Amino acid sequence: MILGGLITGLVARWLYPASLHMGLGKTILLGIGGSLVAGLAASWRDGRPWGEGVSRAGCIASVLGAMLLIFIARHF
């Protein structure tokens, strides 16, 4: 989970258009949070339990979830 959070957080930080100054720990937490946001949104939409494996769409959704968390933290 830590490695997946690190990769997701790094990709989200790289794709986010503004400069972000955060350490490795916060990047990992950002990636894990993005994965949780995406998983909860998908399970709410489909009505199925989440955590059914790894998919490309899930990885993209995790990065988008992490970018949403960055946006919320910077603007609210």
Side-chain angles (χ1 to χ4, degrees):
M1 184 175 1
I2 292 173
L3 182 61
L6 176 63
I7 293 169
T8 302
L10 286 173
V11 171
R13 284 182 53 195
W14 182 67
L15 290 175
Y16 197 77
S19 174
L20 300 171
H21 302 288
M22 63 175 62
L24 190 63
K26 287 183 181 179
T27 301
I28 293 170
L29 290 175
L30 173 69
I32 292 171
S35 297
L36 288 174
V37 167
L40 291 174
S43 68
W44 175 72
R45 185 181 58 92
D46 293 341
R48 292 183 286 162
W50 59 290
E52 296 180 0
V54 177
S55 67
R56 280 188 227 153
C59 293
I60 293 170
S62 296
V63 171
L64 291 175
M67 291 175 71
L68 176 68
L69 291 177
I70 293 171
F71 177 80
I72 290 170
R74 291 182 62 101
H75 291 85
F76 294 106

